[in-house]
Amino acid sequence: VSQDQAYDNGQNATIQKQQQRAGMKTISKTAMRQKAVSNVLASLRMEHLQPSPAVVQAMVACVAGQVSTAHVRQQVMQQHVTLQRH
């Protein structure tokens, strides 16, 4: 281990300890994607809608890290949102 790597490892450990003392949580990307999918489902439920098969497929792919949350949002908009023009 080089001096630079040892310093970086020490800095990372120090930052992690500071975050723990401050009560901060580290959230993984998977957890963030799962939260985004949960929010999509909650929004659909509030509107009394069931996700379409395309949206379900996009949500599964999102949690697996295969597509972005933006892609899921796009699928929801295409499948469940009707634009009203006045």
Side-chain angles (χ1 to χ4, degrees):
V1 177
S2 72
Q3 283 183 324
D4 289 338
Q5 288 173 329
Y7 178 78
D8 289 344
N9 290 341
Q11 286 294 101
N12 288 338
T14 301
I15 291 168
Q16 287 174 347
K17 286 178 187 176
Q18 289 172 345
Q19 288 174 339
Q20 288 171 350
R21 278 190 230 122
M24 296 173 67
K25 289 185 192 178
T26 302
I27 300 174
S28 70
K29 288 182 181 181
T30 301
M32 289 179 5
R33 289 191 299 265
Q34 289 172 335
K35 179 71 172 173
V37 165
S38 294
N39 288 340
V40 168
L41 287 172
S43 294
L44 289 172
R45 278 192 215 111
M46 286 176 35
E47 298 295 330
H48 304 286
L49 299 171
Q50 291 289 326
S52 67
V55 170
V56 171
Q57 184 178 11
M59 287 190 277
V60 170
C62 179
V63 172
Q66 298 168 344
V67 298
S68 67
T69 55
H71 177 77
V72 174
R73 188 172 35 253
Q74 180 185 24
Q75 286 295 316
V76 170
M77 296 295 284
Q78 287 177 351
Q79 299 291 319
H80 297 287
V81 177
T82 303
L83 295 177
Q84 295 179 355
R85 299 181 189 241
H86 297 280

